[in-house]
Amino acid sequence: RGAPPGGMAPAAPLLLLLLLWRPLLGAPGQGAGTWSRFARLPYPQDQLFLHDTFPDGFLWGAGSAAYQTEGGWRQGGKGASVWDTFAHRPATPPASAPPGPTGGDVASDSYNNLFRDAEGLRRLGVSHYRFSLAWARLLPNGTAPVNPAGLDHYHRLLGRLRELGIEPVVTLYHWDLPQRLQDAFGGWASPVLPQLFSDYAELCFRHFGGLVRYWLTMDNPYVVAWHGYSTGRLPPGVQGGPRLGYRAAHHLLQAHAKVWHLYNDHFRPTQKGKVSIALSSHWIKPQRMTEKNIKECQKSLDFVLGWFAKPIFIDGDYPESMRSNLSSLLPEFSEVEKKYIKGTADFFALSFGATLSFQLLDSHMKFQQLESISLRQLLYWISSEYNNPQIFIVENSWFVSGSTKRDDAKYIYYLKKFIMETLKAVRYDGVNVFGYTVWSLLDGFEWHRGYSIRRGLFYVDFQSHDKKLMPKSSVLFYQKLIEKNGFPPLPENQPIEGIFPCGFAWGIVDNYIQVDTTPAQFFDSNVYVWDVHQTKKLIKVDGVFTSRRKRHCVDFAAIRLQMSLLQEMHVTHFHFSLKWSSILPLGNLSLVNHTLVHYYQCFASELLRANITPVVALWQPMSENQELPVSLAKCGAWENPETVQAFVEYAKFCFMSLGGHVKFWITMNEPPVKNLTYTAGHNLLKAHAKAWHLYDKEFRKSQKGKISIALQADWVEPACPFSRNDQEVADRILEFDIGWLAEPIFGNGDYPQAMRAWLHQRNSVDLYNFHLPYFSEDEKKLIQGSFDFFALSHYTTTLVGWEKEDALKYDHYLEVQMINDITWLHSPSRAAVVPWGLRKLLKWVKSKYGDVPIYVMANGIDDDHNMVHDKVRVYYIENYINEALKAYTLDNVNLQGYFVYSFNDRTAPKYGLYSYVANQYEPKPSMKHYREIIDNNGFPGPETPELLCPEEIASCPECHFFRTRKSLLAFVSFIFVAFIVTIFFITYYSKKVERRYK
């Protein structure tokens, strides 16, 4: 419990629960502590996905509303509702709306497809179904006479639900007031409506009460009152201003209380049901955590949710913040009315999601604070504010575009977020939630947004005649969730114990090392005199010089500092890149920066002295000229075939100059496939292969090193795991992002067939002209197998789908939609933390390219210079390494090394294990955590067998003389010791003889 997908478990869930939970007693104003409480929760543990289940007996359901789905607006004697009238008014549909119907005349046609909907419910496996009765279908005029066809329709629906064992949750009024009542009385602006509503409710209780245990008097009275009678945005469209809006709400509250008492007094003893009201709310967070802003947030919730919740759940009167701010605008309840309204709910029915949030919430009611979609915090606020009531979530979900058909990934991930937050509210916060209702069962008419969005689990083609229900991917997601009663822990999500093999490379990365060639003071040939009497300073003596000594590596203070930091980390390998543009400024050997080359030689040799293996990349692209010499960058860079030969000459120079110290080479580090043309990639591959063969033929035998290319390889996962189309998209992106450069080298010597096929299709259909070059047979042989290992950089995982949902994140060329799982932990820059993606990637590489040795050459995440966020890096490193251990231990991946990105914030701001402030390096907690993992060689447990490894000695040319002449060294040491002992005895006896003669 508490472990994220593929991640290490946070603190023991029971301890975390005890830490976070406190009894929720509740009182008006008590909810104000919610914001500060959640700001103090342990980070990032509290943000991690909670793998746990809901309490036994938890209710899972789906919902719908009559006007949104029923259709049949003129069938079976139904009368007109205010929504029928409102939708039939001439209006221009929104530009985003797909062609088709504009109102709920037909909608999903549930009136004529009762058994179709019931079959969808059966397939889901829900325990309850929330639906609403159409007041105008039962009472066409809003009052007697009764419509028998309406009674029969709902009797058949309730009977079918009983046959399926599905509990009905019935809403009496879901915004569709009979038009006759609006015309005759002015609707909810009239004080006669509460009694008319009570008469209607009595009819329903009398006819259906034997089949219904859960009743909701009405849905979202805030929207009905405010947008129906104040702003006029929704039916009946009365623009009466705030005063009329508050009066309508007054009558809605009176009507609700009247119906609750009706049921309580006359029907509860025999029917034994429960009655409540569905209240909708947003969530709001302060712009800054100040007392004033928190009060404004509290006021915002008072004005929307508290407007109705406080009279019902606390004391029968409106919130004090409304009373003090609205003065005479707000109607008064008499003391008798207060007592009558107080306590008129048997549970707290909550609606939260896309209807109100960011849509129908009046901007003035935000009080200049920030709207949010945190269901968990809202649930906690309700529990704190209203005496910890039993909460039934009767509507919750988000939406997808109206053009989205059946792979509704965005909808799934919002659903996942909301349900997970509900689970945390139950398990961590002690909130008493007993049921959850997804909105909605099927696509329908979405109120003011028409058909421009969809919220159903089942897809409905509104243009079709039969209106079949087609299950979306979200059906499979919700179905499995219900079966498991939540998100139970899975074995693959649990951390494992174990260690890596002997010789495993534990490394750190620095894109470019800090180069400081300033000579040390001991290299200065000038003579100085110290003025001890007056200035106390050194005074240079003109014209006098000493002999200049040979430059030594110890002269570079910057190297000594970096060595001490690396040794403090206990890494075995250090990966950095050379600067081609600085070593050969003109792109050829006509001008060589020998000072820089000497610095690199010293740096590598000092690494070896520290028993750290240098891992050196010849080229790593950076923003300016791609880190190519200017002459090459201006002449087409990698588009120009001449760059290939220039790279080979540069590589040869580096092998000759540094090969004595460097045994671990990377030709090219993270070539930028996202910004690389196909021609440039073609030349880049040839340059790599030629450099590899050059090393293989001319240097490998003497230098005994290894060499390969390092590719960026983030994992790509299908957004809908049940969708074949999304899987095809994910496979395609992996081929374009990784296979493009990997397949020629590690595979068959040519580009992936899937790439060629896709480009051929796109070029022929859309008249694109993206040409993927062809290799000659000789070039294929040259490139194929030009590796000694598979090096990859991995940072995150991306979700992809084929349904176009968000134009800003849609790639038209590859026909791929980028999707975000909002339940994932994210870094400050919004990089997703998905440890299991690394394991999947490593398995994918093995499945495609065989048992090749693999090095994870870079793996890391950003922070924001806040030590709180370094906790994310601690979590990141531990869990990614644990997934790497799973790949090695459980999947038999030939993993030989892991490198963290990056060394320090000076060269890679926000990514370093060392911060750099005021010219000082300070280790972050993540550095110490990584060091601990290195020292343990993984995650040993009590059952882990001890691994005895021979001591590793780095390849140090300067040390070679001594290691190969151990016998000679022993002999010389013996002679030296004997000499010292002899001198000691000669001196001792000489003094003794002297004393004797004296």
Side-chain angles (χ1 to χ4, degrees):
R1 186 181 296 175
M8 299 290 285
L14 182 58
L15 293 176
L16 185 60
L17 181 61
L18 292 173
L19 171 67
L20 303 181
W21 184 83
R22 61 177 175 79
L24 292 166
L25 301 177
Q30 189 85 17
T34 302
W35 292 276
S36 59
R37 175 191 185 269
F38 279 87
R40 295 193 306 267
L41 292 181
Y43 181 85
Q45 285 79 6
D46 185 65
Q47 300 294 314
L48 301 178
F49 195 89
L50 173 60
H51 283 273
D52 202 347
T53 56
F54 286 84
D56 292 341
F58 192 83
L59 301 179
W60 294 103
S64 68
Y67 185 74
Q68 290 186 280
T69 59
E70 270 189 6
W73 80 286
R74 281 181 170 174
Q75 284 183 260
K78 177 184 176 294
S81 73
V82 292
W83 264 99
D84 291 318
T85 305
F86 192 81
H88 292 158
R89 295 192 305 188
T92 303
S96 60
T102 56
D105 292 2
V106 179
S108 319
D109 202 21
S110 289
Y111 180 74
N112 297 302
N113 291 279
L114 180 152
F115 289 95
R116 174 204 69 179
D117 294 357
E119 177 58 24
L121 292 164
R122 186 198 63 78
R123 178 169 183 169
L124 283 170
V126 294
S127 56
H128 69 272
Y129 177 44
R130 181 194 170 192
F131 65 95
S132 71
L133 306 174
W135 190 344
R137 191 176 294 284
L138 291 168
L139 299 172
N141 297 320
T143 59
V146 177
N147 176 19
L151 289 174
D152 181 62
H153 171 72
Y154 292 118
H155 266 302
R156 287 189 294 121
L157 174 56
L158 288 167
R160 182 58 180 153
L161 293 176
R162 170 165 279 194
E163 290 173 4
L164 295 174
I166 297 172
E167 188 84 57
V169 178
V170 180
T171 308
L172 293 171
Y173 171 63
H174 202 127
W175 306 5
D176 48 353
L177 183 75
Q179 183 64 43
R180 187 68 63 86
L181 298 184
Q182 182 63 35
D183 295 340
F185 304 104
W188 291 107
S190 169
V192 305
L193 257 290
Q195 183 56 52
L196 296 178
F197 184 59
S198 178
D199 295 341
Y200 160 60
E202 183 176 7
L203 170 75
C204 297
F205 294 153
R206 190 168 64 249
H207 283 275
F208 310 128
L211 299 171
V212 179
R213 286 199 306 156
Y214 292 99
W215 291 97
L216 300 173
T217 56
M218 58 187 68
D219 182 87
N220 203 340
Y222 165 84
V223 167
V224 175
W226 192 254
H227 291 303
Y229 294 88
S230 177
T231 69
R233 286 185 64 187
L234 299 179
V238 178
Q239 297 179 7
R243 186 179 299 276
L244 190 63
Y246 291 123
R247 189 195 309 164
H250 205 69
H251 297 149
L252 285 163
L253 276 166
Q254 290 172 329
H256 159 76
K258 203 170 191 65
V259 169
W260 186 90
H261 282 287
L262 169 70
Y263 188 86
N264 192 59
D265 295 343
H266 300 287
F267 295 96
R268 192 190 301 273
T270 57
Q271 296 180 1
K272 304 189 186 308
K274 295 183 178 182
V275 180
S276 190
I277 178 173
L279 299 180
S280 187
S281 184
H282 61 303
W283 182 247
I284 199 91
K285 62 182 182 181
Q287 296 239 22
R288 288 177 291 112
M289 283 293 290
T290 65
E291 187 176 346
K292 179 177 181 293
N293 285 345
I294 289 175
K295 285 182 178 178
E296 295 299 285
C297 288
Q298 181 80 1
K299 188 192 300 182
S300 176
L301 292 173
D302 279 347
F303 269 64
V304 178
L305 179 57
W307 185 3
F308 302 92
K310 182 174 176 287
I312 294 170
F313 289 92
I314 299 296
D315 60 5
D317 201 3
Y318 298 114
E320 182 57 36
S321 60
M322 293 185 75
R323 283 255 172 251
S324 59
N325 279 269
L326 298 174
S327 184
S328 61
L329 283 176
L330 204 59
E332 296 277 350
F333 287 120
S334 68
E335 290 303 316
V336 172
E337 286 177 320
K338 290 178 184 178
K339 291 178 181 178
Y340 191 72
I341 294 171
K342 176 183 176 182
T344 55
D346 300 320
F347 54 91
F348 197 112
L350 175 66
S351 169
F352 181 78
T355 301
L356 182 64
S357 294
F358 296 95
Q359 286 296 315
L360 292 175
L361 174 66
D362 191 284
S363 59
H364 295 98
M365 294 184 182
K366 297 179 187 178
F367 296 98
Q368 300 181 333
Q369 304 308 308
L370 303 174
E371 200 171 353
S372 175
I373 54 170
S374 176
L375 176 56
R376 178 186 173 190
Q377 294 187 45
L378 175 61
L379 290 168
Y380 186 85
W381 186 89
I382 290 169
S383 290
S384 300
E385 193 78 7
Y386 302 119
N387 198 28
N388 195 19
Q390 285 190 313
I391 300 175
F392 193 174
I393 299 173
V394 294
E395 176 185 343
N396 178 239
S397 76
W398 208 241
F399 63 89
V400 292
S401 164
S403 60
T404 299
K405 292 182 172 58
R406 296 178 63 181
D407 286 332
D408 53 344
K410 173 184 169 185
Y411 186 91
I412 288 175
Y413 290 111
Y414 272 93
L415 204 58
K416 182 181 174 186
K417 166 189 166 64
F418 290 135
I419 295 173
M420 187 266 290
E421 288 193 348
T422 304
L423 180 61
K424 285 185 176 180
V426 172
R427 295 300 188 192
Y428 285 171
D429 307 329
V431 178
N432 190 359
V433 183
F434 69 90
Y436 178 89
T437 311
V438 70
W439 200 267
S440 63
L441 173 65
L442 67 168
D443 290 334
F445 175 74
E446 290 300 333
W447 307 120
H448 63 295
R449 304 180 76 175
Y451 295 95
S452 65
I453 64 169
R454 292 177 181 268
R455 296 184 69 191
L457 294 168
F458 286 91
Y459 175 80
V460 176
D461 181 356
F462 299 112
Q463 303 296 323
S464 68
H465 175 71
D466 56 5
K467 303 290 189 298
K468 286 184 179 178
L469 291 193
M470 291 180 278
K472 302 181 187 179
S473 293
S474 54
V475 165
L476 297 173
F477 168 79
Y478 194 49
Q479 186 182 53
K480 290 182 180 296
L481 188 144
I482 293 172
E483 287 176 3
K484 297 175 181 177
N485 197 32
F487 308 99
L490 300 172
E492 58 266 31
N493 295 331
Q494 304 305 307
I496 66 167
E497 295 177 343
I499 55 177
F500 289 92
C502 291
F504 190 79
W506 291 105
I508 190 72
V509 185
D510 206 354
N511 287 337
Y512 296 103
I513 59 173
Q514 176 195 347
V515 175
D516 183 359
T517 56
T518 304
Q521 59 180 349
F522 304 109
F523 195 65
D524 189 350
S525 60
N526 291 291
V527 175
Y528 298 85
V529 174
W530 186 11
D531 185 358
V532 295
H533 300 292
Q534 296 180 7
T535 64
K536 310 293 184 182
K537 295 180 180 179
L538 291 173
I539 300 174
K540 186 168 130 182
V541 180
D542 294 331
V544 180
F545 303 95
T546 61
S547 59
R548 179 174 295 185
R549 70 168 176 78
K550 183 180 177 182
R551 188 188 295 265
H552 298 293
C553 290
V554 292
D555 293 330
F556 297 121
I559 293 180
R560 294 199 304 272
L561 174 59
Q562 291 178 81
M563 290 304 119
S564 66
L565 297 177
L566 290 169
Q567 285 179 297
E568 182 183 25
M569 203 181 301
H570 299 180
V571 292
T572 63
H573 290 64
F574 180 61
H575 173 30
F576 64 95
S577 300
L578 305 177
K579 285 197 171 187
W580 183 2
S581 62
S582 299
I583 294 175
L584 302 180
L586 300 181
N588 55 49
L589 297 176
S590 64
L591 178 62
V592 177
N593 187 339
H594 289 288
T595 302
L596 180 59
V597 172
H598 176 66
Y599 188 91
Y600 283 136
Q601 289 172 337
C602 285
F603 195 93
S605 67
E606 290 303 308
L607 283 171
L608 293 171
R609 288 183 185 278
N611 207 27
I612 299 172
T613 301
V615 181
V616 180
L618 295 171
W619 175 71
Q620 175 166 344
M622 299 298 282
S623 55
E624 187 177 358
N625 295 327
Q626 298 183 33
E627 199 45 56
L628 294 170
V630 175
S631 59
L632 296 177
K634 288 183 177 179
C635 294
W638 288 108
E639 297 275 333
N640 188 343
E642 292 183 6
T643 304
V644 174
Q645 190 54 40
F647 180 77
V648 175
E649 291 176 2
Y650 161 64
K652 184 173 184 177
F653 174 79
C654 292
F655 296 152
M656 293 175 63
S657 304
L658 300 170
H661 304 88
V662 178
K663 311 301 179 187
F664 201 141
W665 289 100
I666 301 293
T667 55
M668 296 151 179
N669 195 51
E670 300 183 19
V673 293
K674 300 289 187 184
N675 302 309
L676 207 61
T677 66
Y678 293 132
T679 300
H682 201 69
N683 290 330
L684 189 146
L685 281 167
K686 289 191 282 188
H688 155 77
K690 288 186 175 183
W692 187 90
H693 283 284
L694 170 70
Y695 188 85
D696 191 54
K697 292 177 182 176
E698 298 186 22
F699 297 95
R700 189 188 299 276
K701 187 175 181 180
S702 59
Q703 296 182 0
K704 297 179 171 45
K706 52 188 175 183
I707 183 170
S708 196
I709 187 172
L711 305 176
Q712 180 160 343
D714 287 337
W715 181 243
V716 180
E717 185 78 3
C720 292
F722 320 108
S723 167
R724 181 178 300 175
N725 289 332
D726 282 8
Q727 184 62 60
E728 289 176 359
V729 170
D731 292 341
R732 179 160 68 246
I733 299 304
L734 286 171
E735 292 295 0
F736 271 80
D737 283 1
I738 306 173
W740 174 16
L741 300 181
E743 186 65 28
I745 298 171
F746 301 93
N748 61 11
D750 200 0
Y751 298 115
Q753 184 57 38
M755 245 185 115
R756 288 206 184 277
W758 180 258
L759 291 174
H760 177 73
Q761 173 195 330
R762 299 299 289 158
N763 291 341
S764 61
V765 173
D766 295 327
L767 301 179
Y768 283 103
N769 189 24
F770 292 107
H771 174 65
L772 189 61
Y774 285 87
F775 293 115
S776 67
E777 290 303 316
D778 287 341
E779 287 173 334
K780 289 180 182 178
K781 292 178 182 176
L782 177 79
I783 297 171
Q784 185 180 20
S786 57
F787 69 90
D788 295 330
F789 51 88
F790 195 116
L792 59 90
S793 300
H794 175 83
Y795 303 99
T796 189
T797 290
T798 304
L799 294 171
V800 296
W802 72 279
E803 291 263 25
K804 184 178 179 181
E805 179 65 36
D806 181 352
L808 295 177
K809 296 181 179 179
Y810 186 79
D811 185 329
H812 291 271
Y813 177 56
L814 293 176
E815 293 185 354
V816 57
Q817 177 71 62
M818 303 299 172
I819 302 288
N820 181 34
D821 184 341
I822 53 178
T823 66
W824 285 348
L825 184 66
H826 289 81
S827 73
S829 70
R830 303 305 298 162
V833 180
V834 193
W836 52 259
L838 176 58
R839 181 183 178 189
K840 287 197 171 188
L841 172 68
L842 294 172
K843 290 171 68 177
W844 182 84
V845 171
K846 179 184 177 182
S847 68
K848 278 189 71 71
Y849 305 118
D851 193 32
V852 57
I854 300 176
Y855 289 86
V856 178
M857 295 304 297
N859 180 237
I861 199 166
D862 63 287
D863 60 33
D864 62 355
H865 303 299
N866 184 335
M867 282 305 175
V868 170
H869 288 105
D870 189 59
K871 293 180 180 179
V872 177
R873 185 179 290 108
V874 169
Y875 171 83
Y876 181 100
I877 290 173
E878 177 166 335
N879 286 276
Y880 273 83
I881 294 176
N882 197 262
E883 290 298 313
L885 180 64
K886 291 178 187 177
Y888 168 73
T889 304
L890 305 178
D891 308 325
N892 296 315
V893 172
N894 188 5
L895 185 63
Q896 299 198 0
Y898 171 90
F899 292 66
V900 167
Y901 180 84
S902 168
F903 181 20
N904 62 74
D905 284 342
R906 182 176 184 181
T907 51
K910 300 184 180 181
Y911 282 85
L913 298 192
Y914 284 89
S915 62
Y916 184 73
V917 181
N919 296 321
Q920 294 291 323
Y921 292 95
E922 290 293 334
K924 300 179 184 178
S926 52
M927 187 286 283
K928 298 174 182 177
H929 194 66
Y930 183 42
R931 180 174 63 193
E932 182 181 346
I933 295 173
I934 293 173
D935 291 344
N936 290 323
N937 199 30
F939 307 94
E943 306 299 320
T944 305
E946 186 177 357
L947 186 66
L948 298 175
C949 299
E951 187 176 348
E952 298 272 333
I953 300 176
S955 178
C956 172
E958 289 83 356
C959 305
H960 181 71
F961 173 88
F962 300 101
R963 288 203 306 271
T964 55
R965 293 166 173 80
K966 291 181 180 177
S967 299
L968 176 62
L969 286 172
F971 177 74
V972 170
S973 299
F974 173 77
I975 294 298
F976 179 76
V977 171
F979 174 76
I980 295 298
V981 171
T982 303
I983 293 299
F984 170 79
F985 279 114
I986 290 173
T987 304
Y988 174 79
Y989 283 108
S990 296
K991 289 183 178 180
K992 194 173 182 181
V993 169
E994 262 185 316
R995 284 196 297 270
R996 183 181 301 170
Y997 281 106
K998 286 181 181 179

